[in-house]
């Protein structure tokens, strides 16, 4: 979705007054985690990103998806800032 949105979005969300949102869950990858961290200028090293990703995948497996509040709680517990 991040590299080639047209592959997944037949109509750009901005065209209808919406914005692109990343939904995190068990199928999320490293690029999605890095994009979410970039949104708030959070810097994490490779090990921290790996830990965040594993926790996101776990929560996604249990609950289906990870909302923003859960994601930032995970980030804070891993990165600590």
């Amino acid at each position: 979705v991040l590299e080639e949105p047209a592959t997944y979005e037949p109509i750009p969300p901005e065209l209808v007054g919406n914005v692109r949102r990343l939904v995190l869950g068990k199928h999320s990858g490293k690029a999605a985690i890095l994009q979410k961290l970039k949104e708030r200028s959070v810097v994490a090293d490779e090990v921290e990103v790996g830990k965040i990703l594993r926790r996101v995948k776990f929560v996604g497996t249990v609950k289906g998806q990870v909302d923003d509040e859960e994601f930032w709680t995970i980030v804070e517990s891993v990165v600590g800032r």
Side-chain angles (χ1 to χ4, degrees), residues 33 43-53 78-81:
I33 300 300
V43 177
D45 62 31
E46 288 292 318
V47 172
E48 292 169 330
V49 170
K51 287 179 182 178
I52 293 167
L53 181 57
V78 171
V79 179
R81 43 186 182 273

Side-chain angles (χ1 to χ4, degrees), residues 7 9-10 20-22 27 30 37 54 64 68 73 75 77:
T7 303
E9 300 170 343
R20 180 173 297 112
R21 288 183 290 272
L22 289 176
H27 298 295
K30 181 179 170 182
L37 295 174
R54 283 190 296 280
D68 276 352
T73 299
V75 170
S77 72

Side-chain angles (χ1 to χ4, degrees), residues 6 25 46 63 69:
E46 288 292 318
K63 295 180 71 179
E69 184 177 337

Side-chain angles (χ1 to χ4, degrees), residues 10-79:
I11 300 170
E14 299 80 12
L15 189 64
V16 293
N18 213 336
V19 294
R20 180 173 297 112
R21 288 183 290 272
L22 289 176
V23 177
L24 300 176
K26 67 181 180 181
H27 298 295
S28 295
K30 181 179 170 182
I33 300 300
L34 291 172
Q35 180 63 33
K36 292 289 286 182
L37 295 174
K38 184 178 175 184
E39 287 176 11
R40 293 197 185 172
S41 303
V42 174
V43 177
D45 62 31
E46 288 292 318
V47 172
E48 292 169 330
V49 170
K51 287 179 182 178
I52 293 167
L53 181 57
R54 283 190 296 280
R55 291 185 189 182
V56 165
K57 286 181 174 283
F58 175 77
V59 173
T61 300
V62 173
K63 295 180 71 179
Q65 70 179 23
V66 179
D67 64 29
D68 276 352
E69 184 177 337
E70 287 174 304
F71 175 74
W72 293 112
T73 299
I74 291 168
V75 170
E76 187 175 321
S77 72
V78 171
V79 179

